[in-house]
Amino acid sequence: MDGVRGHALLLPFPAQGHITPMMQLANILVANHIVVTFVNTEFIEKRLKHKSTDYLRFQSFPDGLPPDHLRTLKVPELCESLQKHAPFHVENIVEKIMQADSVPPLTIIVADGAFSFTQKIADKFSVPRVAFWTTSACGFSAYYYMPLLIDQGYIPLKDDRGSCKNDVITCIPEMEALRVKDLPSFLTVTDAADYMFQYLLREGQNTLQASLVLLNTFQELEGPVLNDLNAKFKNKVLSIGPLLLSSAGYGDALADMTNSSIWKEEKSCLEWLEKQKESSVIYVCFGSITVLSDEELVEFAWGLEASNQPFLWAIRPDLLQGSSAVLPDDFVERTKERGFFVSWAPQSKVLSHPSVGGFLTHSGWNSTLESISSGVPMICWPFFAEQPTNRRFVDDVWKVGYEMRENVVREEVEALVRKLMNLEEEQGRDMRFRLKKFEDNAIASVKAGGASYKNMQEFLRQMEKKIGS
Ligand code: UDP
């Protein structure tokens, strides 16, 4: 292994939206001659079935939960179990690497932002810990400013009947547009002892101890929030996104090895998209965790049908809580001329397909960034975590999508889909114009000379400095 520049341990939170950007980062590190040990939970690794190579090694550890546990559908239980079990196993993995002759010693630990337990391990083995928050900068900022939000009486909520949910939050710098209901869902609880509330409060503050903070975003999109965070974090916050674009720059050599889809992609929809008119299809997908009620599924279906628009709908088998997601037979029959269903879509390829003109999304950060990077406007229906914050920025700050009310009704689905897909509509035209600029900025940012590119180089340099010192 000639020319090795370092050895990074990468530890994502075990959920699709965290694994994907971490794997994209792995791709870039490997292309820069850094050996990567990618650590998943056994539950995830069984589904990904990776094969290790000299440069990209996969290891896994048990998450402490029984095989049939629903995991990401019960996030607090997953977090609690990981906090209990992961420190021991991760430390063991690090120790073994440090003692091994067959691999270079670790030079850095890059762990999910919500895994600050790795700080102790990093300190013990004298390697820096980098916190990689796979959220938007605005989402991370909300977590970081939790003490201030508590101090100012915004959270925890005084009651959960919604009376204060429209209050405008004035204390977070560069987030003036935010209402209480736009805060990450883990913050808008009434009980200060709530597990996730305390967990994120702690993790947000523990990020201050990290040597660097990485964010999968770009300066031209979230500049003001990033600048504010950098003032608080002594310039240790590096925006390196969109990683989807920068990792693609390194070609497909690692594509098979680094495929990080937990579900099997159904590529047949790409052929179907080939047959559709330019910008005519609305893509509907709620990510890897969102669950719908029967009623919500039916309202979406009716709304889509009534919109008369071609649609591609990704419906995971576990999209409906408690039962497998089945659409009414007559709906599928009636829409078969202009509807296409998959259980898991090759989403980034779908969004960059010229036939796709709009995205009905749950506003997960990866989905939002993929949409912006492909110039596709959105209808936002957030489910949890910092998705409401992303929704607010999409709708009110970047103005590249519409907010949909929490309570799904077919008339609103129909009206918003019609509005979004109408290429003549003035608001929509402005949106597409802004998106084109963001798309160009995103591409420029990861190219030589761009802000994300420079930050990535800075990250690589810091790693080498640590190795040399
Ligand atoms: N995704 C996909 N196909 C699907 C649904 C989701 O490839 O049918 C990918 C999507 O491209 C994104 C990730 O899964 O990269 C979901 O992450 P996101 O942050 O948007 O939401 P989460 O799943 O974490 O709620």
Side-chain angles (χ1 to χ4, degrees):
M1 295 173 77
D2 291 338
V4 170
R5 288 166 72 190
H7 184 174
L9 183 126
L10 266 51
L11 178 67
F13 185 86
Q16 184 71 66
H18 298 243
I19 296 166
T20 301
M22 193 66 98
M23 190 57 86
Q24 287 161 347
L25 180 64
N27 212 352
I28 297 170
L29 295 183
V30 169
N32 280 282
H33 302 281
I34 289 158
V35 173
V36 169
T37 297
F38 200 97
V39 181
N40 281 313
T41 59
E42 285 173 0
F43 180 83
I44 295 289
E45 199 45 51
K46 264 191 205 128
R47 295 174 75 169
L48 290 174
K49 297 193 191 79
H50 282 124
K51 284 199 184 68
S52 294
T53 66
D54 280 352
Y55 262 97
L56 184 56
R57 312 162 65 245
F58 291 95
Q59 301 220 356
S60 57
F61 67 92
D63 60 15
L65 293 167
D68 59 348
H69 189 277
L70 294 173
R71 288 177 170 78
T72 46
L73 299 184
K74 294 190 168 184
V75 169
E77 287 175 23
L78 176 60
C79 289
E80 211 170 337
S81 187
L82 285 167
Q83 289 301 305
K84 207 156 128 201
H85 298 279
F88 169 78
H89 293 296
V90 174
E91 184 170 337
N92 255 344
I93 290 173
V94 172
E95 187 149 29
K96 286 208 179 103
I97 295 174
M98 291 311 212
Q99 288 167 353
D101 293 329
S102 53
V103 281
L106 278 185
T107 47
I108 201 157
I109 295 177
V110 183
D112 193 277
F115 278 167
S116 67
F117 70 82
T118 48
Q119 187 68 52
K120 259 197 194 154
I121 303 172
D123 291 346
K124 179 171 170 189
F125 293 95
S126 303
V127 291
R129 177 207 25 145
V130 174
F132 181 13
W133 281 89
T134 55
T135 58
S136 50
C138 55
F140 170 58
S141 181
Y143 293 134
Y144 169 68
Y145 278 107
M146 278 181 79
L148 184 64
L149 290 165
I150 295 169
D151 194 52
Q152 302 269 317
Y154 290 111
I155 56 168
L157 303 185
K158 294 187 183 53
D159 73 89
D160 59 3
R161 278 164 296 164
S163 53
C164 59
K165 290 207 167 164
N166 282 315
D167 287 0
V168 175
I169 296 171
T170 50
C171 63
I172 308 185
E174 308 301 343
M175 306 247 279
E176 284 81 9
L178 227 57
R179 302 155 301 185
V180 169
K181 67 177 177 190
D182 302 319
L183 287 171
S185 62
F186 302 128
L187 277 55
T188 49
V189 293
T190 49
D191 181 7
D194 177 87
Y195 183 82
M196 292 308 288
F197 187 88
Q198 287 300 324
Y199 177 59
L200 286 155
L201 175 60
R202 201 173 54 240
E203 293 299 316
Q205 296 309 297
N206 286 353
T207 306
L208 288 162
Q209 298 156 11
S211 299
L212 285 175
V213 183
L214 302 181
L215 287 168
N216 186 16
T217 186
F218 57 107
Q219 186 70 24
E220 294 77 2
L221 186 69
E222 297 202 89
V225 177
L226 283 165
N227 294 346
D228 174 65
L229 286 171
N230 262 318
K232 301 293 180 308
F233 281 79
K234 303 199 180 101
N235 291 324
K236 289 192 301 189
V237 179
L238 298 176
S239 55
I240 52 167
L243 283 167
L244 170 73
L245 299 181
S246 45
S247 63
Y250 291 100
D252 267 351
L254 289 171
D256 285 344
M257 252 153 55
T258 57
N259 185 352
S260 60
S261 242
I262 300 178
W263 281 268
K264 196 172 166 1
E265 290 178 342
E266 286 182 44
K267 299 206 169 79
S268 53
C269 59
L270 297 173
E271 284 157 34
W272 179 81
L273 283 174
E274 283 298 308
K275 295 183 206 129
Q276 309 305 314
K277 286 198 200 111
E278 194 175 329
S279 300
S280 68
V281 175
I282 173 122
Y283 170 55
V284 186
C285 179
F286 303 111
S288 65
I289 300 177
T290 303
V291 280
L292 305 185
S293 66
D294 279 335
E295 294 74 31
E296 287 166 342
L297 185 80
V298 168
E299 289 302 306
F300 276 122
W302 277 99
L304 279 172
E305 183 178 359
S307 78
N308 243 339
Q309 202 69 36
F311 63 87
L312 167 61
W313 195 351
I315 302 187
R316 285 186 345 261
D318 58 354
L319 182 67
L320 274 194
Q321 201 158 24
S323 60
S324 59
V326 184
L327 287 160
D329 275 350
D330 52 343
F331 166 77
V332 178
E333 184 55 33
R334 282 197 310 270
T335 56
K336 68 173 189 240
E337 296 301 324
R338 58 189 175 82
F340 199 89
F341 303 91
V342 289
S343 53
W344 187 259
Q347 181 165 299
S348 53
K349 290 200 179 76
V350 165
L351 284 168
S352 57
H353 196 284
S355 299
V356 172
F359 184 14
L360 171 49
T361 171
H362 71 308
S363 299
W365 183 237
N366 293 287
S367 296
T368 305
L369 200 56
E370 287 159 14
S371 203
I372 290 175
S373 305
S374 306
V376 176
M378 289 159 267
I379 297 171
C380 305
W381 187 70
F383 175 64
F384 86 143
E386 50 321 314
Q387 293 155 13
T389 319
N390 300 337
R391 179 257 328 256
R392 185 61 167 169
F393 270 69
V394 166
D395 169 50
D396 198 68
V397 179
W398 305 318
K399 297 187 171 35
V400 292
Y402 300 119
E403 166 179 343
M404 194 170 99
R405 270 173 299 175
E406 200 179 330
N407 184 16
V408 193
V409 282
R410 59 191 74 178
E411 290 79 11
E412 190 181 13
V413 176
E414 177 192 347
L416 282 176
V417 170
R418 280 184 188 276
K419 190 169 173 189
L420 188 80
M421 302 305 290
N422 180 353
L423 301 178
E424 302 307 317
E425 207 261 343
E426 203 182 331
Q427 207 177 344
R429 272 214 307 264
D430 291 350
M431 260 184 205
R432 286 182 172 81
F433 178 74
R434 275 190 290 276
L435 274 161
K436 178 75 186 105
K437 269 182 134 174
F438 280 136
E439 186 185 352
D440 292 346
N441 288 153
I443 294 166
S445 201
V446 298
K447 280 202 179 140
S452 289
Y453 179 88
K454 283 187 194 155
N455 285 342
M456 183 62 81
Q457 298 306 311
E458 174 62 21
F459 171 51
L460 294 169
R461 233 187 339 268
Q462 294 263 354
M463 281 180 67
E464 290 205 306
K465 209 167 76 191
K466 303 283 183 212
I467 296 160
S469 65

